[in-house]
Amino acid sequence: MMQSSRRSALKLLGGAALTATAMPVLPAMAQTDLVVPNTYQNFKRGTIHSLHPERRIFNIIWEDLGRVKMRAADLVTNYPSLKVGNIVDTHWYDYLDFLIAKKTPATVAQGKAMIAKGARLQGIPGAQEPIRLWGMDGMVTKVDQGAGVLYIVNASAGFPEEPSPDSGEVIQLPPVRTDAGKSALAGIKPGDVVTTVWSQQTAIKATVIR
């Protein structure tokens, strides 16, 4: 999971550019059901730091993670009544990788189709809206295979933070969690240009404690 002060934590120094090569992409999930498995659900108690009702966003501070921004799904029916300073028990899903691939016209098209479609939560009844997906492309400066983390020179503005990262800013992407993503990551090296798609951090329940 990515730490608090995300903007400062994600700004790193870049590396040298190399040319990109093609590699197989993940299964063509854009044409199938995109699912966030319920095994990725988290539960934690924290304090609401800020709210952005126009986007159903809230920032929560947890002692071990710091400040984390997430979107409240339609299942969070009490979102309009939440207030800054509330202590809440939150059920939520962290970032999940849906596409990790070297950038080609085909993988870019695949990623755009995924983002347009969105995903659903496995085994969660009552949700009417899809889980939002986002993407980021760029040149790889570092690959941490052990942690499953890519560092890229951002060539897009897809990271769901405010303000968006600048083009050319080096970004530490979330950890790759899926087996397909880890397999794709094994074939990526510094200098490759990649395209990636992720689910947004999403809350499905926020119970006010006080």
Side-chain angles (χ1 to χ4, degrees):
M1 298 177 189
M2 300 177 68
Q3 300 299 315
S4 66
S5 302
R6 278 163 154 66
R7 296 279 302 163
S8 59
L10 296 175
K11 292 184 179 180
L12 303 168
L13 296 178
L18 301 173
T19 57
T21 57
M23 70 173 286
V25 301
L26 299 186
M29 292 187 291
Q31 286 74 42
T32 60
D33 198 17
L34 305 180
V35 178
V36 178
N38 54 25
T39 53
Y40 290 102
Q41 185 178 166
N42 304 285
F43 173 80
K44 194 172 287 292
R45 178 172 293 182
T47 303
I48 296 178
H49 178 264
S50 60
L51 292 155
H52 303 276
E54 72 281 2
R55 291 175 288 132
R56 289 182 64 86
I57 295 290
F58 53 67
N59 290 280
I60 295 183
I61 294 179
W62 287 301
E63 289 186 1
D64 57 340
L65 292 177
R67 184 174 62 87
V68 174
K69 176 182 288 187
M70 66 184 67
R71 185 173 186 276
D74 57 341
L75 294 167
V76 184
T77 55
N78 64 333
Y79 181 84
S81 66
L82 297 178
K83 296 178 175 62
V84 172
N86 281 156
I87 296 175
V88 293
D89 284 344
T90 308
H91 294 260
W92 62 288
Y93 289 79
D94 208 346
Y95 300 115
L96 184 64
D97 55 286
F98 278 82
L99 179 65
I100 306 292
K102 291 185 182 177
K103 188 173 183 178
T104 67
T107 59
V108 169
Q110 182 182 6
K112 288 181 178 179
M114 288 178 169
I115 292 170
K117 181 175 183 178
R120 68 176 179 85
L121 297 176
Q122 180 186 48
I124 304 296
Q128 300 299 314
E129 62 181 11
I131 298 302
R132 294 187 179 182
L133 305 181
W134 59 278
M136 182 171 284
D137 302 345
M139 187 199 70
V140 176
T141 64
K142 178 182 176 182
V143 184
D144 186 338
Q145 296 287 355
V149 174
L150 280 171
Y151 298 75
I152 69 172
V153 179
N154 179 35
S156 59
F159 197 74
E161 295 284 347
E162 294 294 338
S164 293
D166 296 329
S167 180
E169 185 176 339
V170 176
I171 302 298
Q172 175 186 336
L173 291 173
V176 173
R177 300 178 183 277
T178 68
D179 289 341
K182 291 176 182 177
S183 177
L185 189 68
I188 293 174
K189 62 185 184 299
D192 289 335
V193 178
V194 296
T195 185
T196 68
V197 173
W198 312 80
S199 61
Q200 188 169 346
Q201 289 177 306
T202 303
I204 62 169
K205 187 176 183 180
T207 302
V208 176
I209 302 303
R210 60 179 181 272

